[in-house]
Amino acid sequence: MSALVGSRAPYRLGVHLIDDGADVAVLASHAEAVELCLLDPDPASADGWSERRIALRGPEHGVWFARVPGIRAGQRYGFRAHGRWDPAAGLRYNPAKLLVDPYARGLAGDVVLGQAVHGHVVDDEGRTVGPQPEPDPTDSRAHVPHAVVVDDRFDAPPVPRPQVPWEDTVIYEAHVRGLTMRLPGVPAELRGTYAGLAHPATIAHLLALGITTVELLPIHAMASEPHLVRRGLTNYWGYNTLGFFAPNPRYATRAAQDAGPQAVLAEVKGMVHLLHRAGLEVLLDVVYNHTCEGGTDGPQLSWRGLDPTVYYLHDGGMPARFADVTGCGNSLDFRRPRVVQMALDSLRYWVADVGVDGFRFDLAVTLGRDDDGFTPQHPFLVALQTDPVLAGTKLVAEPWDVGPGGWRTGAFPAPLAEWNDRFRNAARSFWLADPAQAAHGRPGHGVRDLATRLAGSADLFGYSDPPLMRGVVASVNYVTAHDGFTLADLTRYEHKRNEANGENNRDGTDDNRSWNHGVEGRVDDAVVGAEILPLRRRSMRNLLGTLLLSAGTPMITAGDEIGRTQHGNNNAYCLDDETSWLDWELEPWQVDHLATTRHLLHLRRTHPALRSRAFFRGQPRDGAPWPDLDWRLADAGPFDHHTWHDPGVRTLQMIRSAPQGDSALLVVNGLLDVAEVVLARGPGASWELVWDSAWDRPDELRTAAINGALHPSPGERTTLEPLSMRLYTAGP
């Protein structure tokens, strides 16, 4: 069928409504013909669908396009691409396969695993049949999601973006579904949904905690990997994208899902709107490094069938194979301008139309690779720095991938911030791995690396032109994230327990730097071994205090504030069940832990000395009479080269002062024994004790006041419990 009316040059990709229909444009530069396929329900057809095919014009600069009258919101569609079947050259055009529009704003339906979704003939396990891939004639129309035309308008009064300054930012990494599936106060029909995340009960928890910025695990439309589907599992985390413009309908309410993609998109926009109204920013974890189409012989769902040698990075061999620097089977080729364009168009859409405030880029090194490897001057990274729509948003890189030279922490350009894995490793080593070694008489590390992380990791983020330009806020500090042990499990398990993932416990990292404190797994209060519970909980508070009192941007993983457990699973990416969902029925110690988290965030919020933006220089700033940073030993003497490098020195005092006159003294005891400390001098006549990790809960301040220890003077002697830290403050 051909129905081109008023066709026009393709200045924007995707399907965009106009007064009398829609403009359609899709990239398929190596195709010989492309058809737009309009789908309508048809009970009389064998698969329930009728199809109208419209031949597109082109290619113009690789794009096929048309202006098609009569298209309205809600119309289902896809593309069929005709061209060479030449797998050795990387080309597998097969018009039997209905392809998802890479720019679709809505998707309906699921991938039905089987022969139909593969462009070539495969066996029951998805393996290529025969010595060479042969095209499969099975029509995939009833086995793949359909793109759906949506109206992007959203009728709600505008709400100003919160625009939280970086130095005030506290990030909360959460899964839309897992956060609210069991949250009291959220109605059953809203649990695990976009609407549930924006429910007053959820917002109340976030605000009471002291969160400013919610970072959501991927909400782009996705498909689970075939090996998970065969085992009856799903990709719960969502790092397997099928659409960079379409929200995942699975996280919408049942009513929105039944109403269709238009209602799903409206629910996402409503979530952002309500979170903004509460003063909360929204960041999206985005996965532009690879797609759900898997390796060279994976399913043919979208990009592979439209323009595989443009969209995907290849290894340069013959026959052509996908190059995999992501560990996921394929890698999008960011050497290609059209790939860069797709990512930027997607980012602009989520900011300008949906309203989000920024992004965390999964495996961001892949996005900055050219022919010679990663470069901070990559066009995509340059665009992030200069794009007028993205200017002012929060941009965070996961600074590694699995390709050559893939670890690049500290190498990204401003204004990007980065996940700081060195912070994670230093905190875990100092508070967990080192004491575990010391308990067996083996040496650990001193305070040098921990001190560097407490002060904002200038060794990683200080190199710029001019130097120190990025500031400490470029370091996104974290102790846990969605992958790895939870905070509680770091203190319970020394070995991962990933059997439920179905991979014989081979998946997940073995570099956990955890400490079970002598007993593996859960220990109840009334059993043998319960004597280790207070130390386990103190270790959790030490890690939490290190995170929230350090210079940099803290990121809390949802549930760590209540001490949640995944029962030792450190890679629960495929478990959409109670393993991954937060359990809000709290034991008394969890209530105490939540109170501690809130207290620490309150201290951070109310003391400017704990919210630095610039790197420290060890000298007075802005006319202040006191250095912005000073380090002292336990006896209040200065550090020298020897003591900084002495692994036996595991106590320190860190004094931070803000130009406004506010100061904070953090005292750390990493020994297995009580430490005697002479309190360092500060700008005031006395210090005020505001927190001690030896306290089960913050209201033990009252006990300290009764004992006269609340306002010690500089030079006064005090003792710290083994493996503990303490915070003092002094006002202007």
Side-chain angles (χ1 to χ4, degrees):
M1 173 180 178
S2 178
L4 295 179
V5 178
S7 59
R8 60 188 299 176
Y11 77 96
R12 57 179 179 171
L13 297 173
V15 176
H16 299 273
L17 291 172
I18 54 176
D19 290 341
D20 61 344
D23 285 330
V24 180
V26 61
L27 176 71
S29 61
H30 290 83
E32 297 170 359
V34 177
E35 296 168 312
L36 169 69
C37 304
L38 301 179
L39 308 173
D40 296 294
D42 183 2
S45 72
D47 63 3
W49 296 100
S50 66
E51 180 177 329
R52 294 172 286 152
R53 298 188 183 183
I54 300 170
L56 302 182
R57 288 183 57 189
E60 184 171 319
H61 303 301
V63 175
W64 300 79
F65 59 97
R67 174 168 285 184
V68 184
I71 293 180
R72 297 289 182 265
Q75 176 68 59
R76 293 192 178 209
Y77 72 98
F79 296 110
R80 295 186 188 272
H82 303 254
R84 289 167 53 200
W85 180 266
D86 189 356
L91 300 176
R92 301 189 183 207
Y93 285 104
N94 186 343
K97 307 306 169 182
L98 185 73
L99 304 173
V100 169
D101 178 7
Y103 277 68
R105 264 59 169 174
L107 292 178
D110 298 309
V111 175
V112 181
L113 190 64
Q115 175 61 74
V117 300
H118 285 81
H120 62 291
V121 179
V122 298
D123 63 17
D124 291 342
E125 296 297 318
R127 295 183 294 253
T128 299
V129 174
Q132 299 294 332
E134 297 295 334
D136 171 65
T138 311
D139 196 306
S140 67
R141 183 173 67 190
H143 303 268
V144 295
H146 299 160
V148 180
V149 178
V150 300
D151 186 337
D152 286 338
R153 289 174 296 185
F154 178 63
D155 297 324
V159 175
R161 294 179 183 273
Q163 293 186 318
V164 179
W166 268 109
E167 62 268 29
D168 298 335
T169 299
V170 179
I171 298 173
Y172 187 81
E173 189 200 37
H175 190 288
V176 169
R177 186 165 167 82
L179 180 62
T180 64
M181 279 297 289
R182 306 168 75 181
L183 181 60
V186 176
E189 67 273 15
L190 300 185
R191 292 186 176 186
T193 69
Y194 301 116
L197 194 143
H199 187 271
T202 313
I203 290 174
H205 172 73
L206 297 172
L207 294 179
L209 191 58
I211 299 301
T212 69
T213 306
V214 180
E215 179 181 302
L216 300 177
L217 267 67
I219 68 168
H220 286 167
M222 53 76 64
S224 293
E225 296 88 338
H227 72 89
L228 291 179
V229 175
R230 294 187 186 99
R231 297 204 301 268
L233 299 173
T234 184
N235 188 321
Y236 169 72
W237 287 349
Y239 292 89
N240 213 40
T241 308
L242 179 57
F244 294 113
F245 296 80
N248 190 338
R250 188 164 174 266
Y251 301 153
T253 56
R254 173 49 55 188
Q257 292 184 53
D258 291 343
Q262 186 76 50
V264 172
L265 179 60
E267 186 173 319
V268 174
K269 291 183 176 182
M271 172 192 71
V272 175
H273 178 85
L274 291 172
L275 291 172
H276 280 178
R277 198 166 71 182
L280 294 166
E281 294 180 314
V282 181
L283 307 187
L284 301 185
D285 195 335
V286 287
V287 190
Y288 297 111
N289 58 80
H290 77 284
T291 77
C292 68
E293 290 189 305
T296 304
D297 296 321
Q300 190 144 321
L301 305 173
S302 179
W303 306 270
R304 185 196 303 272
L306 289 168
D307 219 343
T309 58
V310 169
Y311 279 117
Y312 290 118
L313 185 68
H314 283 71
D315 62 8
M318 181 65 73
R321 304 290 298 176
F322 285 171
D324 182 10
V325 298
T326 65
C328 302
N330 65 67
S331 308
L332 285 168
D333 190 352
F334 272 78
R335 301 173 305 174
R336 303 282 192 168
R338 288 297 192 178
V339 174
V340 172
Q341 177 192 358
M342 180 179 67
L344 291 172
D345 286 347
S346 171
L347 294 170
R348 294 186 194 105
Y349 171 72
W350 287 95
V351 172
D353 289 77
V354 183
V356 304
D357 304 286
F359 306 92
R360 178 265 188 187
F361 296 96
D362 182 66
L363 300 183
V365 170
T366 300
L367 317 185
R369 286 187 178 274
D370 63 14
D371 289 326
D372 297 320
F374 175 80
T375 171
Q377 287 77 44
H378 190 282
F380 177 69
L381 301 180
V382 171
L384 290 182
Q385 299 173 70
T386 58
D387 187 272
V389 175
L390 302 178
T393 61
K394 285 189 165 73
L395 305 173
V396 180
E398 182 185 40
W400 50 80
D401 67 11
V402 300
W407 185 84
R408 292 288 179 164
T409 305
F412 281 76
L416 274 77
E418 302 174 41
W419 275 22
N420 188 350
D421 56 318
R422 289 283 186 89
F423 182 97
R424 175 200 63 200
N425 292 348
R428 292 186 182 188
S429 293
F430 187 85
W431 292 115
L432 298 175
D434 286 352
Q437 293 295 310
H440 294 87
R442 294 189 286 266
H445 302 83
V447 296
R448 183 167 61 100
D449 194 19
L450 181 71
T452 303
R453 308 307 149 211
L454 289 170
S457 297
D459 62 327
L460 297 173
F461 303 101
Y463 295 98
S464 59
D465 185 16
L468 306 180
M469 177 179 64
R470 300 178 70 186
V472 298
V473 294
S475 174
V476 175
N477 300 332
Y478 68 105
V479 174
T480 69
H482 61 275
D483 56 340
F485 280 148
T486 67
L487 183 65
D489 286 353
L490 282 173
T491 70
R492 295 181 176 186
Y493 297 91
E494 293 187 10
H495 306 285
K496 62 191 180 186
R497 298 286 187 271
N498 296 356
E499 289 81 5
N501 301 351
E503 299 178 41
N504 296 316
N505 208 37
R506 293 190 301 265
D507 61 305
T509 183
D510 293 311
D511 183 17
N512 295 297
R513 307 188 189 209
S514 57
W515 181 29
N516 63 19
H517 296 75
V519 179
E520 186 78 354
R522 178 183 172 90
V523 174
D524 293 320
D525 287 315
V527 301
V528 174
E531 62 274 9
I532 69 172
L533 291 176
L535 185 53
R536 279 185 175 181
R537 293 164 189 170
R538 185 185 302 175
S539 292
M540 292 172 61
R541 293 191 294 271
N542 288 331
L543 291 167
L544 193 62
T546 301
L547 173 64
L548 299 181
L549 301 178
S550 290
T553 304
M555 184 185 80
I556 300 173
T557 305
D560 278 352
E561 74 273 24
I562 55 174
R564 82 177 184 102
T565 179
Q566 289 182 168
H567 311 292
N569 194 315
N570 74 353
N571 190 38
Y573 76 104
C574 57
L575 301 180
D576 186 4
D577 57 24
E578 288 82 358
T579 304
S580 300
W581 304 340
L582 273 63
D583 182 358
W584 295 95
E585 293 186 10
L586 306 185
E587 299 177 23
W589 74 266
Q590 292 177 288
V591 175
D592 293 344
H593 185 74
L594 175 59
T596 295
T597 310
R598 289 173 173 170
H599 179 65
L600 287 168
L601 283 171
H602 172 76
L603 292 173
R604 184 182 182 91
R605 188 167 59 250
T606 55
H607 288 281
L610 298 175
R611 300 195 317 278
S612 309
R613 185 182 184 93
F615 281 110
F616 303 106
R617 297 180 182 270
Q619 58 191 25
R621 283 191 307 176
D622 301 328
W626 200 259
D628 58 3
L629 177 65
D630 191 22
W631 299 104
R632 295 287 159 172
L633 293 163
D635 64 2
F639 274 84
D640 58 23
H641 179 81
H642 172 73
T643 49
W644 273 127
H645 290 80
D646 185 348
V649 175
R650 289 184 54 84
T651 56
L652 65 73
Q653 302 185 70
M654 177 187 190
I655 307 101
R656 293 164 58 183
S657 297
Q660 303 93 325
D662 181 70
S663 295
L665 168 62
L666 185 65
V667 187
V668 170
N669 176 21
L671 299 170
L672 295 179
D673 300 311
V674 170
E676 184 175 274
V677 174
V678 177
L679 292 180
R681 291 179 58 236
S686 66
W687 292 107
E688 179 181 3
L689 176 61
V690 293
W691 180 68
D692 192 324
S693 69
W695 300 342
D696 288 328
R697 53 180 300 121
D699 60 13
E700 295 191 36
L701 265 170
R702 291 194 294 268
T703 303
I706 292 171
N707 293 336
L710 198 58
H711 294 282
S713 302
E716 187 171 319
R717 292 183 179 274
T718 187
T719 56
L720 269 70
E721 291 296 310
L723 297 177
S724 68
M725 61 193 310
R726 190 179 292 174
L727 181 67
Y728 299 87
T729 60

